[in-house]
Amino acid sequence: MNHKTVVLNAAKMNFDGNLDFSVLSEDVTVYDDTDQDQLLSRIQEAAVVVTKEMPVSGDLIRQFPDSVKLICEAGTGYNNLDLEAARQKGITVCNIPAYSSQRVAHTAVMMILNLSSSMQLQMKMLARGCHDNFTKNLQVSHVEVNNKVLGIIGAGNIGREVIKIAQAMDMKILAHTRTFREDADGVHYVDLPTLLRESDYVSLHCPLTPETRHLINRETLSMMKPTAFLINTSRGALVDEPALIEALKTGVIAGAGLDVQETEPPLPENPLYTMDNVILTPHMGWKGLETRKRLVSILAGNIEAYFQGMPVNVVS
């Protein structure tokens, strides 16, 4: 492959220096990061532009040089790219929807299991030198997940992986998707209010779109059980964060596991950092080395397939 390829924000993926982008093309230029005012000058004569969760506006895309044929979003979500502008410009946009499915699913299940055992509280007790769980019987909530109801919002690649693991733990599965599906393989498809009312754990696995932004808000949180937990390993803006914080403080729901936040990283004063009923992680679901190496490998395959006229996962 000798199509000129430019990676605009490689540090987002290669923060440890262990990825090899030379597999993308014989002519590849890699930038750790790119400011908006640097973007156009850096992609001159490029055929392929690679981004990772980097906002690229329609105004910028409409100014792309005619040499650009393909924009590769090096990840699952592509809400950062103006697809309509790309269509108008005749540029194909593709993403990589399944590279991290298992690892992100494992993160969601990890949060379910940790919240079910109040693990975050137990670790905080140990950190401050409190050994009461060892000397005064168990001081925290510790419940089984078998026979509990897991509600999955969005049953795509990651959602299906979570379902598979949850069923192995004998959890009951409800699912809500954009389009109606018949019940199958032990999964009962329901409307959103039903899922929220009946689930002990609600796990989000849907893309961020204008329709799903703040899908979880004050109204929908009020539908959940006070004993229920919210898990978000998808996109932070699916959740109205101030509404969630209020619900966590007032006992509307029992707790949350959040690998994604509305602002990443959260501001230093964000109360989510210190709330006892919250597990907060730094959008780590896709960041394992094996997962990132798979990302680059699939990315290289997509670029090669595109220029050979073979199918790629086109979103625009």
Side-chain angles (χ1 to χ4, degrees), residues 110-128 133 140-141 229 248 254-257 272-281:
M110 174 272 292
M111 288 182 167
I112 291 170
L113 292 173
N114 275 276
L115 288 166
S116 73
S117 300
S118 302
M119 194 61 64
Q120 75 281 11
L121 277 175
Q122 297 196 51
M123 299 306 293
K124 285 182 178 181
M125 291 170 71
L126 287 175
R128 64 175 186 264
N133 284 324
V140 298
S141 176
F229 295 93
L248 291 166
L272 291 171
Y273 280 122
T274 57
M275 296 178 76
D276 285 342
N277 55 349
V278 173
I279 298 175
L280 198 68
T281 53

Side-chain angles (χ1 to χ4, degrees), residues 39-283:
L39 192 154
L40 291 175
S41 64
R42 289 183 170 182
I43 64 172
Q44 295 302 311
E45 300 182 0
V48 181
V49 175
V50 178
T51 67
K52 174 64 175 174
E53 299 171 12
M54 176 180 171
V56 185
S57 69
D59 286 343
L60 275 175
I61 290 175
R62 281 186 282 270
Q63 297 177 66
F64 274 23
D66 292 341
S67 60
V68 176
K69 306 300 181 186
L70 179 66
I71 300 174
C72 293
E73 168 55 39
T76 304
Y78 46 87
N79 51 286
N80 52 301
L81 301 170
D82 189 319
L83 300 185
E84 182 56 33
R87 290 190 192 100
Q88 293 171 4
K89 191 73 177 176
I91 299 173
T92 298
V93 180
C94 69
N95 70 332
I96 307 176
Y99 79 98
S100 62
S101 298
Q102 289 181 309
R103 180 58 262 178
V104 175
H106 296 169
T107 300
V109 173
M110 174 272 292
M111 288 182 167
I112 291 170
L113 292 173
N114 275 276
L115 288 166
S116 73
S117 300
S118 302
M119 194 61 64
Q120 75 281 11
L121 277 175
Q122 297 196 51
M123 299 306 293
K124 285 182 178 181
M125 291 170 71
L126 287 175
R128 64 175 186 264
C130 176
H131 301 159
D132 285 358
N133 284 324
F134 298 84
T135 60
K136 300 179 182 178
N137 294 317
L138 191 61
Q139 305 291 299
V140 298
S141 176
H142 182 58
V143 300
E144 298 177 351
V145 298
N146 49 293
N147 292 316
K148 297 296 191 301
V149 178
L150 171 61
I152 298 287
I153 301 178
N157 292 309
I158 298 171
R160 290 195 299 270
E161 285 291 333
V162 175
I163 289 170
K164 181 168 66 175
I165 300 168
Q167 287 179 324
M169 298 190 297
D170 290 329
M171 298 187 79
K172 300 175 181 177
I173 308 297
L174 299 179
H176 174 71
T177 58
R178 286 174 292 179
T179 56
F180 175 77
R181 297 188 191 182
E182 297 285 352
D183 293 357
D185 301 322
V187 179
H188 182 41
Y189 290 90
V190 296
D191 58 46
L192 183 60
T194 299
L195 182 146
L196 294 171
R197 285 195 304 267
E198 297 186 7
S199 295
D200 299 297
Y201 304 85
V202 173
S203 193
L204 305 180
H205 301 287
C206 51
L208 177 61
T209 68
E211 292 73 30
T212 61
R213 181 176 292 275
H214 288 183
L215 177 71
I216 301 301
N217 51 50
R218 182 175 283 103
E219 179 183 0
T220 50
L221 285 163
S222 70
M223 299 178 186
M224 294 174 63
K225 298 178 182 180
T227 55
F229 295 93
L230 176 71
I231 311 295
N232 190 8
T233 57
S234 187
R235 287 290 181 264
L238 295 174
V239 178
D240 179 345
E241 199 165 277
L244 174 63
I245 291 169
E246 180 185 355
L248 291 166
K249 287 180 175 179
T250 59
V252 172
I253 64 172
L258 307 171
D259 188 43
V260 291
Q261 299 84 41
E262 195 157 12
T263 298
E264 295 182 0
L267 297 175
E269 64 272 18
N270 193 313
L272 291 171
Y273 280 122
T274 57
M275 296 178 76
D276 285 342
N277 55 349
V278 173
I279 298 175
L280 198 68
T281 53
H283 204 157

